[in-house]
Amino acid sequence: MKQFLSINDVENLENLIQDALEYKKNPLKDEDLAKGKTLGLIFMNSSLRTRMSTQKAAENLGFKVMTFNAGQDFWAWETEDGAVMNGTTVEHIKDATTVIGQYCDVVAIRCFADLKNKKSDTEEKILTLFQKYLNKPLISMEAATRHPLQSLADTITIKEQWKETTKPKVVLTWGPHIKPIPHAVANSFAEWMNAQDVEFVITHPEGLDLDPAFVGDAQVTHNQEEALKDADFVYIKNWSSFNDYGKVAEGYDDWMLTEEKMKITNNGRPMHCLPVRRNVEVSDEVLDSEQSLIFEQSYNRLFAAQAVLKNIL
């Protein structure tokens, strides 16, 4: 594995999942694998699970870890070629990235969509510039269009929980929110589920379609109850409008995932990437139920990251 920016970088998904599950049984079995190597973690956005899980995963393999918050620990970056830097930016991203690559053996970056410039977001401007100038293996800890570490953990969680011989029904359902939310988690989950042997359904209000490039062959319906019927796994996640880019959808509070709605599933297991707006996206009763997988997902973030780092090495 040369990099980890999407599922397209994974040569053998089953092997990657098995690596993660083996680390879950014995996290320190390769504790000297990265001895003498440095992992740089760069955060351009807030993080809890991603920051903690990736750092701990690296330490389990013997990495030294350097963690930075862009905009606080670094100079303000210029991203435009040929810019006359007589304003607020202090260092060009190509200079900063080249230097980071000199000090680190592997680099991971978190850079959200700003939901203002659709072209810049869909083209993954920051991630692309890091790829161009870094000259070291690069891992995405969430970017404008994808969150592959989260999706790998979600895939591992479903794999662990599903013991039947038939393929499960997995539903990605939109949930309400109070502010614009990027598409990365929903896009990425769709991309990874389309690569699995599952019955995959996406449900959302009309006008809130995801980018067709990520929807793929998924069944899409605007009837949430129809989608939830007989579901084995229910992933609740908000996303803002893709066509009317970044717009918050209002008037859909009835899309909140509730205990009553879960009754029409096949004893379905609710999932969410966290953080979650309780009693806005999904009710307390669903999140705190015995069926809930939210903490299994967060725990598996650690072993997903460790498996990726091992394969990068």
Side-chain angles (χ1 to χ4, degrees):
M1 189 186 291
K2 306 296 184 185
Q3 60 182 13
F4 185 71
L5 308 182
S6 76
I7 195 172
N8 299 322
D9 296 313
V10 179
E11 293 181 4
N12 189 313
L13 180 55
E14 286 304 313
N15 286 352
L16 188 62
I17 291 171
Q18 288 308 311
D19 283 341
L21 293 175
E22 287 176 20
Y23 282 132
K24 194 169 186 177
K25 294 176 185 175
N26 186 2
L28 299 179
K29 74 183 187 74
D30 291 323
E31 60 184 331
D32 292 324
L33 186 65
K35 186 177 181 180
K37 295 188 180 297
T38 299
L39 172 67
L41 302 181
I42 300 171
F43 292 90
M44 301 183 72
N45 306 92
S46 301
S47 177
L48 172 62
R49 280 147 295 277
T50 300
R51 181 185 296 259
M52 295 184 71
S53 62
T54 308
Q55 180 165 337
K56 185 173 177 64
E59 292 171 352
N60 284 350
L61 295 172
F63 273 104
K64 293 180 180 178
V65 181
M66 301 172 72
T67 303
F68 301 97
N69 298 304
Q72 298 176 39
D73 301 323
F74 292 158
W75 303 110
W77 286 341
E78 175 60 58
T79 60
E80 298 299 327
D81 279 338
V84 177
M85 292 174 54
N86 58 1
T88 58
T89 57
V90 179
E91 184 166 24
H92 201 285
I93 194 170
K94 64 182 176 182
D95 301 328
T97 305
T98 301
V99 171
I100 290 166
Q102 291 177 322
Y103 300 153
C104 300
D105 300 285
V106 181
V107 175
I109 185 169
R110 182 174 176 93
C111 47
F112 284 4
D114 64 13
L115 293 177
K116 296 175 182 177
N117 187 323
K118 184 175 182 178
K119 184 175 186 292
S120 176
D121 285 346
T122 55
E123 291 178 355
E124 291 285 9
K125 185 172 183 178
I126 299 296
L127 199 64
T128 300
L129 288 171
F130 260 75
Q131 279 182 281
K132 181 176 180 180
Y133 297 117
L134 184 66
N135 198 30
K136 290 290 172 67
L138 181 63
I139 296 171
S140 170
M141 297 189 295
E142 188 170 1
T145 60
R146 293 179 171 96
H147 193 348
L149 283 173
Q150 179 66 56
S151 296
L152 174 56
D154 297 336
T155 302
I156 292 165
T157 303
I158 291 172
K159 184 88 170 179
E160 276 185 306
Q161 299 295 326
W162 187 251
K163 307 298 183 185
E164 308 295 332
T165 55
T166 57
K167 63 184 181 181
K169 181 178 180 180
V170 180
V171 176
L172 171 62
T173 177
W174 182 91
H177 211 286
I178 64 169
K179 66 177 188 177
I181 297 295
H183 306 88
V185 171
N187 283 346
S188 201
F189 185 73
E191 194 169 49
W192 285 67
M193 287 302 105
N194 278 321
Q196 307 298 304
D197 186 23
V198 302
E199 180 186 351
F200 182 48
V201 180
I202 301 174
T203 184
H204 55 75
E206 291 189 31
L208 286 171
D209 307 78
L210 291 169
D211 184 342
F214 295 100
V215 172
D217 296 328
Q219 302 173 46
V220 179
T221 175
H222 305 308
N223 186 322
Q224 189 184 39
E225 289 193 5
E226 177 185 285
L228 293 174
K229 190 174 185 300
D230 299 324
D232 299 296
F233 298 91
V234 180
Y235 204 117
I236 181 81
K237 187 71 182 81
N238 176 267
W239 57 87
S240 55
S241 175
F242 180 70
N243 293 326
D244 190 359
Y245 196 62
K247 182 180 179 181
V248 177
E250 298 177 341
Y252 295 106
D253 292 350
D254 58 339
W255 276 73
M256 182 176 77
L257 189 63
T258 63
E259 193 174 35
E260 193 65 27
K261 289 179 182 178
M262 290 301 294
K263 290 178 181 178
I264 65 177
T265 69
N266 182 29
N267 203 24
R269 312 298 302 273
M271 302 176 70
H272 193 287
C273 61
L274 301 180
V276 60
R277 296 272 182 162
R278 284 175 172 261
N279 304 307
V280 176
E281 294 176 81
V282 54
S283 70
D284 281 337
E285 292 78 12
V286 173
L287 290 168
D288 298 331
S289 69
E290 291 184 0
Q291 291 297 100
S292 175
L293 294 175
I294 59 173
F295 296 121
E296 281 79 359
Q297 290 171 264
S298 64
Y299 190 45
N300 283 335
R301 289 294 308 276
L302 168 58
F303 308 110
Q306 195 164 341
V308 167
L309 287 167
K310 179 245 187 177
N311 279 271
I312 290 281
L313 288 173

mmCIF file of all heavy atoms in Angstrom, residues 68-110:
data_model
loop_
_atom_site.group_PDB
_atom_site.id
_atom_site.type_symbol
_atom_site.label_atom_id
_atom_site.label_comp_id
_atom_site.label_asym_id
_atom_site.label_seq_id
_atom_site.Cartn_x
_atom_site.Cartn_y
_atom_site.Cartn_z
ATOM 1 N N PHE A 68 0.301 18.040 14.902
ATOM 2 C CA PHE A 68 0.237 19.486 14.690
ATOM 3 C C PHE A 68 -1.178 19.918 14.319
ATOM 4 O O PHE A 68 -1.884 19.212 13.602
ATOM 5 C CB PHE A 68 1.186 19.902 13.567
ATOM 6 C CG PHE A 68 2.621 19.541 13.820
ATOM 7 C CD1 PHE A 68 3.159 18.389 13.273
ATOM 8 C CD2 PHE A 68 3.419 20.345 14.623
ATOM 9 C CE1 PHE A 68 4.481 18.040 13.513
ATOM 10 C CE2 PHE A 68 4.739 20.009 14.867
ATOM 11 C CZ PHE A 68 5.279 18.854 14.314
ATOM 12 N N ASN A 69 -1.546 21.097 14.794
ATOM 13 C CA ASN A 69 -2.804 21.728 14.409
ATOM 14 C C ASN A 69 -2.479 22.866 13.453
ATOM 15 O O ASN A 69 -1.901 23.876 13.859
ATOM 16 C CB ASN A 69 -3.528 22.272 15.637
ATOM 17 C CG ASN A 69 -3.886 21.177 16.611
ATOM 18 O OD1 ASN A 69 -4.547 20.219 16.244
ATOM 19 N ND2 ASN A 69 -3.443 21.304 17.854
ATOM 20 N N ALA A 70 -2.813 22.674 12.199
ATOM 21 C CA ALA A 70 -2.541 23.721 11.200
ATOM 22 C C ALA A 70 -3.304 24.984 11.570
ATOM 23 O O ALA A 70 -4.455 24.935 11.995
ATOM 24 C CB ALA A 70 -2.959 23.232 9.818
ATOM 25 N N GLY A 71 -2.633 26.128 11.380
ATOM 26 C CA GLY A 71 -3.249 27.396 11.746
ATOM 27 C C GLY A 71 -2.918 27.809 13.171
ATOM 28 O O GLY A 71 -3.077 28.972 13.542
ATOM 29 N N GLN A 72 -2.459 26.844 13.984
ATOM 30 C CA GLN A 72 -2.039 27.150 15.351
ATOM 31 C C GLN A 72 -0.555 26.832 15.532
ATOM 32 O O GLN A 72 0.214 27.657 16.009
ATOM 33 C CB GLN A 72 -2.863 26.338 16.355
ATOM 34 C CG GLN A 72 -4.354 26.640 16.312
ATOM 35 C CD GLN A 72 -5.138 25.755 17.256
ATOM 36 O OE1 GLN A 72 -4.700 25.454 18.355
ATOM 37 N NE2 GLN A 72 -6.304 25.311 16.819
ATOM 38 N N ASP A 73 -0.162 25.624 15.142
ATOM 39 C CA ASP A 73 1.225 25.202 15.287
ATOM 40 C C ASP A 73 2.067 25.554 14.053
ATOM 41 O O ASP A 73 3.290 25.544 14.122
ATOM 42 C CB ASP A 73 1.299 23.689 15.520
ATOM 43 C CG ASP A 73 0.537 23.270 16.766
ATOM 44 O OD1 ASP A 73 0.566 24.031 17.749
ATOM 45 O OD2 ASP A 73 -0.092 22.188 16.758
ATOM 46 N N PHE A 74 1.416 25.802 12.923
ATOM 47 C CA PHE A 74 2.109 26.143 11.679
ATOM 48 C C PHE A 74 1.802 27.587 11.303
ATOM 49 O O PHE A 74 0.845 28.192 11.782
ATOM 50 C CB PHE A 74 1.632 25.250 10.523
ATOM 51 C CG PHE A 74 2.023 23.813 10.632
ATOM 52 C CD1 PHE A 74 1.291 22.853 9.935
ATOM 53 C CD2 PHE A 74 3.096 23.402 11.392
ATOM 54 C CE1 PHE A 74 1.643 21.514 10.004
ATOM 55 C CE2 PHE A 74 3.458 22.064 11.468
ATOM 56 C CZ PHE A 74 2.731 21.112 10.778
ATOM 57 N N TRP A 75 2.607 28.107 10.361
ATOM 58 C CA TRP A 75 2.278 29.373 9.726
ATOM 59 C C TRP A 75 1.044 29.208 8.841
ATOM 60 O O TRP A 75 0.724 28.101 8.411
ATOM 61 C CB TRP A 75 3.452 29.842 8.863
ATOM 62 C CG TRP A 75 4.753 29.992 9.590
ATOM 63 C CD1 TRP A 75 5.862 29.204 9.450
ATOM 64 C CD2 TRP A 75 5.091 30.980 10.566
ATOM 65 N NE1 TRP A 75 6.867 29.637 10.274
ATOM 66 C CE2 TRP A 75 6.421 30.739 10.974
ATOM 67 C CE3 TRP A 75 4.392 32.054 11.129
ATOM 68 C CZ2 TRP A 75 7.070 31.514 11.925
ATOM 69 C CZ3 TRP A 75 5.036 32.840 12.072
ATOM 70 C CH2 TRP A 75 6.355 32.569 12.463
ATOM 71 N N ALA A 76 0.361 30.304 8.563
ATOM 72 C CA ALA A 76 -0.771 30.273 7.635
ATOM 73 C C ALA A 76 -0.269 29.922 6.241
ATOM 74 O O ALA A 76 0.696 30.515 5.746
ATOM 75 C CB ALA A 76 -1.467 31.631 7.624
ATOM 76 N N TRP A 77 -0.925 28.951 5.598
ATOM 77 C CA TRP A 77 -0.453 28.428 4.319
ATOM 78 C C TRP A 77 -1.086 29.126 3.122
ATOM 79 O O TRP A 77 -2.297 29.376 3.090
ATOM 80 C CB TRP A 77 -0.777 26.937 4.204
ATOM 81 C CG TRP A 77 0.101 26.055 5.049
ATOM 82 C CD1 TRP A 77 1.315 26.367 5.576
ATOM 83 C CD2 TRP A 77 -0.191 24.723 5.466
ATOM 84 N NE1 TRP A 77 1.819 25.304 6.286
ATOM 85 C CE2 TRP A 77 0.921 24.286 6.232
ATOM 86 C CE3 TRP A 77 -1.260 23.858 5.257
ATOM 87 C CZ2 TRP A 77 0.979 23.010 6.799
ATOM 88 C CZ3 TRP A 77 -1.211 22.591 5.818
ATOM 89 C CH2 TRP A 77 -0.103 22.176 6.583
ATOM 90 N N GLU A 78 -0.260 29.377 2.130
ATOM 91 C CA GLU A 78 -0.732 29.819 0.815
ATOM 92 C C GLU A 78 -0.861 28.579 -0.070
ATOM 93 O O GLU A 78 0.014 27.712 -0.057
ATOM 94 C CB GLU A 78 0.270 30.800 0.202
ATOM 95 C CG GLU A 78 -0.063 31.231 -1.212
ATOM 96 C CD GLU A 78 -1.410 31.924 -1.295
ATOM 97 O OE1 GLU A 78 -1.600 32.944 -0.607
ATOM 98 O OE2 GLU A 78 -2.272 31.420 -2.053
ATOM 99 N N THR A 79 -1.935 28.494 -0.831
ATOM 100 C CA THR A 79 -2.163 27.307 -1.662
ATOM 101 C C THR A 79 -2.129 27.587 -3.160
ATOM 102 O O THR A 79 -2.103 26.648 -3.960
ATOM 103 C CB THR A 79 -3.527 26.662 -1.329
ATOM 104 O OG1 THR A 79 -4.567 27.613 -1.569
ATOM 105 C CG2 THR A 79 -3.566 26.209 0.126
ATOM 106 N N GLU A 80 -2.111 28.862 -3.566
ATOM 107 C CA GLU A 80 -2.160 29.187 -4.986
ATOM 108 C C GLU A 80 -0.758 29.309 -5.576
ATOM 109 O O GLU A 80 0.111 29.989 -5.017
ATOM 110 C CB GLU A 80 -2.919 30.494 -5.201
ATOM 111 C CG GLU A 80 -4.365 30.452 -4.752
ATOM 112 C CD GLU A 80 -5.188 29.404 -5.491
ATOM 113 O OE1 GLU A 80 -4.906 29.167 -6.688
ATOM 114 O OE2 GLU A 80 -6.096 28.818 -4.864
ATOM 115 N N ASP A 81 -0.529 28.646 -6.717
ATOM 116 C CA ASP A 81 0.738 28.798 -7.419
ATOM 117 C C ASP A 81 0.874 30.234 -7.942
ATOM 118 O O ASP A 81 -0.091 30.825 -8.430
ATOM 119 C CB ASP A 81 0.821 27.826 -8.602
ATOM 120 C CG ASP A 81 1.218 26.429 -8.162
ATOM 121 O OD1 ASP A 81 1.823 26.301 -7.084
ATOM 122 O OD2 ASP A 81 0.929 25.472 -8.903
ATOM 123 N N GLY A 82 2.079 30.759 -7.854
ATOM 124 C CA GLY A 82 2.333 32.092 -8.382
ATOM 125 C C GLY A 82 1.786 33.218 -7.537
ATOM 126 O O GLY A 82 1.781 34.379 -7.978
ATOM 127 N N ALA A 83 1.324 32.897 -6.330
ATOM 128 C CA ALA A 83 0.737 33.941 -5.474
ATOM 129 C C ALA A 83 1.795 34.964 -5.048
ATOM 130 O O ALA A 83 2.943 34.607 -4.771
ATOM 131 C CB ALA A 83 0.114 33.301 -4.239
ATOM 132 N N VAL A 84 1.398 36.208 -5.027
ATOM 133 C CA VAL A 84 2.239 37.254 -4.443
ATOM 134 C C VAL A 84 1.858 37.300 -2.962
ATOM 135 O O VAL A 84 0.783 37.774 -2.596
ATOM 136 C CB VAL A 84 1.992 38.621 -5.114
ATOM 137 C CG1 VAL A 84 2.834 39.707 -4.438
ATOM 138 C CG2 VAL A 84 2.317 38.537 -6.602
ATOM 139 N N MET A 85 2.746 36.804 -2.111
ATOM 140 C CA MET A 85 2.383 36.574 -0.718
ATOM 141 C C MET A 85 2.614 37.815 0.147
ATOM 142 O O MET A 85 3.441 37.833 1.053
ATOM 143 C CB MET A 85 3.135 35.355 -0.185
ATOM 144 C CG MET A 85 2.678 34.056 -0.842
ATOM 145 S SD MET A 85 3.657 32.603 -0.376
ATOM 146 C CE MET A 85 3.567 32.643 1.403
ATOM 147 N N ASN A 86 1.813 38.835 -0.150
ATOM 148 C CA ASN A 86 1.916 40.078 0.613
ATOM 149 C C ASN A 86 0.677 40.302 1.478
ATOM 150 O O ASN A 86 0.362 41.427 1.866
ATOM 151 C CB ASN A 86 2.143 41.271 -0.307
ATOM 152 C CG ASN A 86 1.033 41.421 -1.333
ATOM 153 O OD1 ASN A 86 0.075 40.634 -1.346
ATOM 154 N ND2 ASN A 86 1.138 42.420 -2.192
ATOM 155 N N GLY A 87 -0.001 39.175 1.781
ATOM 156 C CA GLY A 87 -1.207 39.251 2.604
ATOM 157 C C GLY A 87 -1.038 38.500 3.914
ATOM 158 O O GLY A 87 -0.004 38.589 4.563
ATOM 159 N N THR A 88 -2.039 37.714 4.274
ATOM 160 C CA THR A 88 -2.044 37.042 5.578
ATOM 161 C C THR A 88 -1.315 35.703 5.571
ATOM 162 O O THR A 88 -0.975 35.184 6.634
ATOM 163 C CB THR A 88 -3.490 36.807 6.044
ATOM 164 O OG1 THR A 88 -4.181 36.030 5.058
ATOM 165 C CG2 THR A 88 -4.220 38.127 6.256
ATOM 166 N N THR A 89 -1.083 35.116 4.387
ATOM 167 C CA THR A 89 -0.382 33.833 4.346
ATOM 168 C C THR A 89 1.119 34.056 4.486
ATOM 169 O O THR A 89 1.673 35.020 3.957
ATOM 170 C CB THR A 89 -0.680 33.078 3.038
ATOM 171 O OG1 THR A 89 -0.328 33.901 1.922
ATOM 172 C CG2 THR A 89 -2.155 32.709 2.954
ATOM 173 N N VAL A 90 1.784 33.131 5.201
ATOM 174 C CA VAL A 90 3.192 33.309 5.552
ATOM 175 C C VAL A 90 4.093 32.309 4.835
ATOM 176 O O VAL A 90 5.226 32.630 4.483
ATOM 177 C CB VAL A 90 3.372 33.179 7.083
ATOM 178 C CG1 VAL A 90 4.829 33.323 7.486
ATOM 179 C CG2 VAL A 90 2.501 34.199 7.810
ATOM 180 N N GLU A 91 3.582 31.084 4.615
ATOM 181 C CA GLU A 91 4.400 30.039 4.001
ATOM 182 C C GLU A 91 3.585 29.314 2.943
ATOM 183 O O GLU A 91 2.401 29.016 3.152
ATOM 184 C CB GLU A 91 4.877 29.044 5.060
ATOM 185 C CG GLU A 91 5.816 27.971 4.513
ATOM 186 C CD GLU A 91 6.543 27.214 5.614
ATOM 187 O OE1 GLU A 91 6.042 27.171 6.749
ATOM 188 O OE2 GLU A 91 7.617 26.661 5.317
ATOM 189 N N HIS A 92 4.220 29.023 1.816
ATOM 190 C CA HIS A 92 3.509 28.298 0.768
ATOM 191 C C HIS A 92 3.405 26.830 1.154
ATOM 192 O O HIS A 92 4.336 26.255 1.717
ATOM 193 C CB HIS A 92 4.216 28.434 -0.586
ATOM 194 C CG HIS A 92 3.306 28.169 -1.739
ATOM 195 N ND1 HIS A 92 2.899 26.901 -2.085
ATOM 196 C CD2 HIS A 92 2.680 29.021 -2.614
ATOM 197 C CE1 HIS A 92 2.090 26.974 -3.116
ATOM 198 N NE2 HIS A 92 1.924 28.246 -3.460
ATOM 199 N N ILE A 93 2.269 26.225 0.821
ATOM 200 C CA ILE A 93 2.028 24.844 1.214
ATOM 201 C C ILE A 93 3.057 23.891 0.598
ATOM 202 O O ILE A 93 3.414 22.879 1.196
ATOM 203 C CB ILE A 93 0.579 24.412 0.845
ATOM 204 C CG1 ILE A 93 0.228 23.107 1.569
ATOM 205 C CG2 ILE A 93 0.396 24.301 -0.660
ATOM 206 C CD1 ILE A 93 -1.250 22.753 1.462
ATOM 207 N N LYS A 94 3.598 24.237 -0.585
ATOM 208 C CA LYS A 94 4.588 23.346 -1.189
ATOM 209 C C LYS A 94 5.906 23.364 -0.408
ATOM 210 O O LYS A 94 6.595 22.342 -0.335
ATOM 211 C CB LYS A 94 4.813 23.677 -2.660
ATOM 212 C CG LYS A 94 5.409 25.033 -2.973
ATOM 213 C CD LYS A 94 5.503 25.193 -4.496
ATOM 214 C CE LYS A 94 5.995 26.564 -4.904
ATOM 215 N NZ LYS A 94 6.033 26.720 -6.381
ATOM 216 N N ASP A 95 6.225 24.486 0.199
ATOM 217 C CA ASP A 95 7.426 24.553 1.034
ATOM 218 C C ASP A 95 7.208 23.784 2.340
ATOM 219 O O ASP A 95 8.053 22.989 2.764
ATOM 220 C CB ASP A 95 7.781 26.004 1.347
ATOM 221 C CG ASP A 95 8.037 26.823 0.083
ATOM 222 O OD1 ASP A 95 8.521 26.248 -0.912
ATOM 223 O OD2 ASP A 95 7.742 28.026 0.095
ATOM 224 N N ALA A 96 6.065 24.036 2.965
ATOM 225 C CA ALA A 96 5.760 23.366 4.232
ATOM 226 C C ALA A 96 5.686 21.853 4.044
ATOM 227 O O ALA A 96 6.236 21.086 4.842
ATOM 228 C CB ALA A 96 4.437 23.895 4.787
ATOM 229 N N THR A 97 5.025 21.420 2.978
ATOM 230 C CA THR A 97 4.846 19.989 2.741
ATOM 231 C C THR A 97 6.180 19.301 2.472
ATOM 232 O O THR A 97 6.436 18.192 2.958
ATOM 233 C CB THR A 97 3.876 19.772 1.560
ATOM 234 O OG1 THR A 97 2.664 20.465 1.823
ATOM 235 C CG2 THR A 97 3.574 18.304 1.360
ATOM 236 N N THR A 98 7.040 19.946 1.704
ATOM 237 C CA THR A 98 8.355 19.373 1.426
ATOM 238 C C THR A 98 9.154 19.192 2.712
ATOM 239 O O THR A 98 9.791 18.153 2.932
ATOM 240 C CB THR A 98 9.126 20.271 0.441
ATOM 241 O OG1 THR A 98 8.377 20.381 -0.768
ATOM 242 C CG2 THR A 98 10.494 19.676 0.127
ATOM 243 N N VAL A 99 9.102 20.184 3.590
ATOM 244 C CA VAL A 99 9.818 20.104 4.862
ATOM 245 C C VAL A 99 9.235 18.995 5.747
ATOM 246 O O VAL A 99 9.979 18.211 6.359
ATOM 247 C CB VAL A 99 9.777 21.462 5.592
ATOM 248 C CG1 VAL A 99 10.313 21.338 7.016
ATOM 249 C CG2 VAL A 99 10.564 22.498 4.810
ATOM 250 N N ILE A 100 7.918 18.906 5.816
ATOM 251 C CA ILE A 100 7.273 17.858 6.611
ATOM 252 C C ILE A 100 7.740 16.484 6.132
ATOM 253 O O ILE A 100 8.022 15.585 6.939
ATOM 254 C CB ILE A 100 5.740 17.986 6.514
ATOM 255 C CG1 ILE A 100 5.271 19.243 7.250
ATOM 256 C CG2 ILE A 100 5.050 16.752 7.095
ATOM 257 C CD1 ILE A 100 3.844 19.645 6.942
ATOM 258 N N GLY A 101 7.832 16.321 4.814
ATOM 259 C CA GLY A 101 8.294 15.052 4.251
ATOM 260 C C GLY A 101 9.739 14.731 4.600
ATOM 261 O O GLY A 101 10.133 13.561 4.653
ATOM 262 N N GLN A 102 10.551 15.757 4.850
ATOM 263 C CA GLN A 102 11.937 15.528 5.253
ATOM 264 C C GLN A 102 12.023 14.978 6.673
ATOM 265 O O GLN A 102 12.931 14.212 7.005
ATOM 266 C CB GLN A 102 12.727 16.836 5.170
ATOM 267 C CG GLN A 102 12.963 17.338 3.744
ATOM 268 C CD GLN A 102 13.679 18.676 3.727
ATOM 269 O OE1 GLN A 102 13.420 19.532 4.573
ATOM 270 N NE2 GLN A 102 14.591 18.842 2.777
ATOM 271 N N TYR A 103 11.076 15.369 7.513
ATOM 272 C CA TYR A 103 11.125 14.991 8.920
ATOM 273 C C TYR A 103 10.332 13.725 9.243
ATOM 274 O O TYR A 103 10.573 13.102 10.280
ATOM 275 C CB TYR A 103 10.574 16.131 9.788
ATOM 276 C CG TYR A 103 11.322 17.435 9.682
ATOM 277 C CD1 TYR A 103 10.667 18.644 9.935
ATOM 278 C CD2 TYR A 103 12.665 17.484 9.341
ATOM 279 C CE1 TYR A 103 11.332 19.856 9.852
ATOM 280 C CE2 TYR A 103 13.344 18.687 9.240
ATOM 281 C CZ TYR A 103 12.667 19.873 9.496
ATOM 282 O OH TYR A 103 13.339 21.069 9.402
ATOM 283 N N CYS A 104 9.361 13.378 8.399
ATOM 284 C CA CYS A 104 8.450 12.272 8.702
ATOM 285 C C CYS A 104 8.572 11.152 7.670
ATOM 286 O O CYS A 104 8.796 11.410 6.484
ATOM 287 C CB CYS A 104 7.001 12.765 8.743
ATOM 288 S SG CYS A 104 6.712 14.037 9.994
ATOM 289 N N ASP A 105 8.379 9.923 8.123
ATOM 290 C CA ASP A 105 8.406 8.759 7.227
ATOM 291 C C ASP A 105 7.027 8.487 6.632
ATOM 292 O O ASP A 105 6.915 7.971 5.522
ATOM 293 C CB ASP A 105 8.890 7.532 8.000
ATOM 294 C CG ASP A 105 10.282 7.740 8.557
ATOM 295 O OD1 ASP A 105 11.239 7.687 7.772
ATOM 296 O OD2 ASP A 105 10.403 7.979 9.778
ATOM 297 N N VAL A 106 5.986 8.807 7.387
ATOM 298 C CA VAL A 106 4.600 8.687 6.934
ATOM 299 C C VAL A 106 3.866 9.919 7.457
ATOM 300 O O VAL A 106 4.160 10.400 8.559
ATOM 301 C CB VAL A 106 3.915 7.409 7.482
ATOM 302 C CG1 VAL A 106 2.480 7.297 6.968
ATOM 303 C CG2 VAL A 106 4.714 6.159 7.116
ATOM 304 N N VAL A 107 2.926 10.446 6.656
ATOM 305 C CA VAL A 107 2.164 11.627 7.059
ATOM 306 C C VAL A 107 0.675 11.336 6.905
ATOM 307 O O VAL A 107 0.242 10.715 5.929
ATOM 308 C CB VAL A 107 2.547 12.862 6.213
ATOM 309 C CG1 VAL A 107 1.652 14.056 6.549
ATOM 310 C CG2 VAL A 107 4.015 13.221 6.428
ATOM 311 N N ALA A 108 -0.101 11.764 7.896
ATOM 312 C CA ALA A 108 -1.558 11.673 7.817
ATOM 313 C C ALA A 108 -2.131 13.067 7.990
ATOM 314 O O ALA A 108 -1.655 13.849 8.820
ATOM 315 C CB ALA A 108 -2.091 10.736 8.901
ATOM 316 N N ILE A 109 -3.143 13.388 7.190
ATOM 317 C CA ILE A 109 -3.722 14.734 7.227
ATOM 318 C C ILE A 109 -5.240 14.671 7.294
ATOM 319 O O ILE A 109 -5.873 13.786 6.713
ATOM 320 C CB ILE A 109 -3.273 15.578 6.010
ATOM 321 C CG1 ILE A 109 -3.780 17.014 6.141
ATOM 322 C CG2 ILE A 109 -3.725 14.939 4.698
ATOM 323 C CD1 ILE A 109 -3.177 17.981 5.136
ATOM 324 N N ARG A 110 -5.814 15.637 8.007
ATOM 325 C CA ARG A 110 -7.273 15.791 8.112
ATOM 326 C C ARG A 110 -7.617 17.179 7.598
ATOM 327 O O ARG A 110 -7.179 18.193 8.160
ATOM 328 C CB ARG A 110 -7.697 15.629 9.568
ATOM 329 C CG ARG A 110 -9.202 15.712 9.845
ATOM 330 C CD ARG A 110 -9.409 15.380 11.311
ATOM 331 N NE ARG A 110 -10.775 15.489 11.778
ATOM 332 C CZ ARG A 110 -11.649 14.481 11.818
ATOM 333 N NH1 ARG A 110 -11.283 13.281 11.363
ATOM 334 N NH2 ARG A 110 -12.852 14.644 12.298
#
